[in-house]
């Protein structure tokens, strides 16, 4: 798992968007699984954006069934497993627009991982979450890492990844300014300073 | 890899479900077209013969403006919560999104037309002199012509600042041949003076050409930044 830090505007979210094909690089090329062709690897990537990327007027299960269908997954049981895995109730009839921020973030993570991708790109998964929900999100991300997934997490909240991130990257002006193993106390302090 | 038909059906179901719950597009279209019918009926007091002459134009102007409302709404749903990004990062075919959206819009506009046509008949005292069944292909082909081009241009105008204004500006000029076909064919059926075969053929050609072009170009539009 890679934790990506940096000031606002450093290019963290842009990096994730370029990797998953939502933005084009102004220079250079991206090779994923040895290929530059987006169609070769798009089904092997999962992307959780800053926005939830969910339909407010549909229930959690309806959202998951729709997005699973985009990956050729018509298995209802798999959607139920995915929703249970993030701690939500598949029978919940409330529309996503009525969910709390924490529930939306967890459902968004379930949507990003519904097709069991090898690489997960998570953009600010802890933003706007209360401490309890953020810890729960941290546990979910850790579980995914333990299932041998490569995870890139953009965040300002280093503390939530302190025990689970393998590498940390600092970005500045669109470039990687520093790269180190784990997350140090200095990283946490600096990331908190950016947040504040 | 998801098949085109399966994902198209999934997109259509999703759009029908969202519209059923919000009724944003259908309500807005109904009220708009109803207002046009009522206002025009106050503005003109035509005889039965005059009604047959002008009804084709009135009907299609009302439906054209009402369709703009639906077309703008259709893509707005995909912008909320940036849901379109989730589609763009998936391996699902771009054309499935376009076809699902176009079919959804087609059904919404057809529903509004079916509800409002009886009102047109009553308000304008319309009696068709020609074979009225010919209006069915004219309306189906005409509505598809509006929808397919409108859905495509609505997607193009998604990222422009004044998209509500931009859509009619780019849609109306390119719809002129279809609009001409719809109005002329409808008037011919109502007046019974000539057969509308030429105009129906024009609508068929327009639909085939623009559906093909939109399908060929939509992937580029979807992945444009």
């Amino acid at each position: 798992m890679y934790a990506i830090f940096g000031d606002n505007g450093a290019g963290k979210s842009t990096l994730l968007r370029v990797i998953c094909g939502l933005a084009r690089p102004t220079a250079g090329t991206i090779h994923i699984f040895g290929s530059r062709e987006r169609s070769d690897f798009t089904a092997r990537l999962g992307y959780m954006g800053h926005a939830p990327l969910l339909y407010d007027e549909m229930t959690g299960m309806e959202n998951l069934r729709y997005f699973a269908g985009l990956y050729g997954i018509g298995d209802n049981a798999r959607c139920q497993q995915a929703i249970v895995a993030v701690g939500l109730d598949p029978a919940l009839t409330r529309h996503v627009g009525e969910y709390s921020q924490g529930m939306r973030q967890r459902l968004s993570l379930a949507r990003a991982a519904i097709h069991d991708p090898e690489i997960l790109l998570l953009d600010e998964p802890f933003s706007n979450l209360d401490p309890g929900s953020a810890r729960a999100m941290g546990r979910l991300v850790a579980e995914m890492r333990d299932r041998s997934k490569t995870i890139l997490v953009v965040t300002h909240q280093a503390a939530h990844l302190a025990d689970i991130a393998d590498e940390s990257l600092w970005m500045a002006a669109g470039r990687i300014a520093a790269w180190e193993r784990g997350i140090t106390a200095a990283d946490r302090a600096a990331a908190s300073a950016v947040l504040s | 890899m998801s098949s085109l038909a399966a994902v198209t059906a999934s997109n259509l179901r999703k759009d029908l479900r969202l519209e059923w719950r919000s009724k944003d597009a259908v309500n807005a279209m109904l009220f708009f077209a109803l207002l046009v019918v009522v206002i025009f009926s106050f503005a003109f007091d035509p005889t039965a013969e005059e009604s047959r002459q002008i009804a084709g134009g009135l009907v299609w102007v009302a439906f054209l403006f009402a369709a703009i409302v639906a077309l703008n709404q259709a893509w707005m749903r995909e912008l909320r919560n940036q849901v379109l990004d989730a589609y763009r990062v998936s391996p699902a075919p771009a054309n499935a999104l376009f076809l699902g959206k176009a079919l959804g819009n087609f059904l919404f506009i057809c529903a509004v037309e079916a509800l409002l046509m009886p009102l047109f008949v009553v308000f304008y005292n319309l009696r068709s002199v020609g074979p009225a069944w010919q209006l069915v292909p004219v309306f189906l082909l005409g509505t598809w012509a509006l929808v397919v081009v409108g859905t495509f241009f609505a997607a193009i105008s998604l990222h422009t600042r004044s998209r509500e204004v931009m859509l009619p500006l780019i849609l109306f000029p390119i719809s002129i041949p279809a609009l001409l076909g719809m109005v002329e064919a409808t008037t011919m059926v109502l007046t019974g003076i000539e057969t509308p075969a030429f105009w129906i053929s024009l609508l068929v050609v327009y639909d085939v050409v623009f559906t093909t072009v939109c399908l060929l170009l939509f992937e580029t539009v979807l992945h444009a930044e």
Side-chain angles (χ1 to χ4, degrees), chain A residues 43 66-74, chain B residues 1-8 10-11 87 90-94 96:
Chain A
Y66 169 70
F67 288 109
L70 300 186
Y71 292 87
I73 303 165
Chain B
M1 184 65 70
S2 329
S3 76
L4 180 71
V7 182
T8 301
S10 170
N11 281 316
Y87 197 95
S90 80

Side-chain angles (χ1 to χ4, degrees), chain A residues 61 72 116 128 167:
Chain A
M61 269 302 282
D116 199 21
N128 301 319
E167 312 258 347

Side-chain angles (χ1 to χ4, degrees), chain B:
Chain B
M1 184 65 70
S2 329
S3 76
L4 180 71
V7 182
T8 301
S10 170
N11 281 316
L12 178 59
R13 270 198 307 276
K14 178 258 298 173
D15 278 343
L16 293 177
R17 177 177 282 144
L18 291 176
E19 182 56 31
W20 179 254
R21 287 179 183 164
S22 68
K23 297 184 180 63
D24 288 343
V26 168
N27 280 348
M29 273 194 299
L30 262 178
F31 281 114
F32 191 89
L34 190 64
L35 275 177
V36 173
V37 175
V38 173
I39 289 170
F40 279 180
S41 75
F42 286 140
F44 307 115
D45 188 16
T47 62
E49 184 50 36
E50 285 167 341
S51 280
R52 280 192 281 271
Q53 294 286 346
I54 63 169
L58 289 182
V59 166
W60 283 111
V61 165
F63 291 149
L64 179 64
F65 282 103
I68 293 290
V69 178
L71 294 166
N72 268 323
Q73 286 283 342
W75 288 107
M76 285 306 292
R77 290 192 189 108
E78 309 297 329
L79 282 189
R80 275 179 228 136
N81 295 339
Q82 298 175 17
V83 193
L84 197 58
D85 281 352
Y87 197 95
R88 291 172 64 198
V89 298
S90 80
N95 282 339
L97 179 65
F98 176 75
L99 283 174
K101 197 68 76 187
L103 287 169
N105 287 333
F106 180 72
L107 292 177
F108 301 148
I109 296 172
C110 282
V112 169
E113 287 173 355
L115 287 170
L116 284 175
M117 271 316 285
L119 285 179
F120 263 106
V121 171
V122 171
F123 274 91
Y124 296 95
N125 194 23
L126 282 177
R127 296 286 179 277
S128 175
V129 176
W133 66 266
Q134 287 184 344
L135 288 174
V136 175
V138 172
F139 271 78
L140 292 178
L141 291 167
T143 305
W144 182 254
L146 288 181
V147 160
V148 76
V149 181
T151 304
F152 182 77
F153 282 116
I156 287 182
S157 60
L158 256 189
H159 300 291
T160 58
R161 203 180 302 167
S162 334
R163 66 178 78 88
E164 280 86 4
V165 180
M166 191 58 75
L167 177 59
L169 283 181
I170 52 181
L171 176 62
F172 288 170
I174 210 150
S175 298
I176 287 173
L179 199 60
L180 200 62
M182 300 169 211
V183 173
E184 289 295 333
T186 307
T187 306
M188 284 177 179
V189 174
L190 291 175
T191 56
I193 296 169
E194 286 177 75
T195 170
F198 169 76
W199 296 107
I200 291 178
S201 305
L202 177 80
L203 285 174
V204 171
V205 172
Y206 184 96
D207 284 359
V208 170
V209 168
F210 278 92
T211 303
T212 309
V213 170
C214 292
L215 286 174
L216 287 173
L217 296 178
F218 186 72
E219 185 162 9
T220 310
V221 172
L222 180 67
H223 292 290
E225 288 170 43

Side-chain angles (χ1 to χ4, degrees), chain A residues 88-107:
Chain A
L88 295 174
D89 179 3
L92 201 61
T93 53
R94 255 194 293 168
H95 294 168
V96 168
E98 297 162 13
Y99 278 18
S100 68
Q101 184 65 20
M103 291 166 76
R104 276 167 177 248
Q105 293 283 75
R106 280 184 279 158
L107 186 63

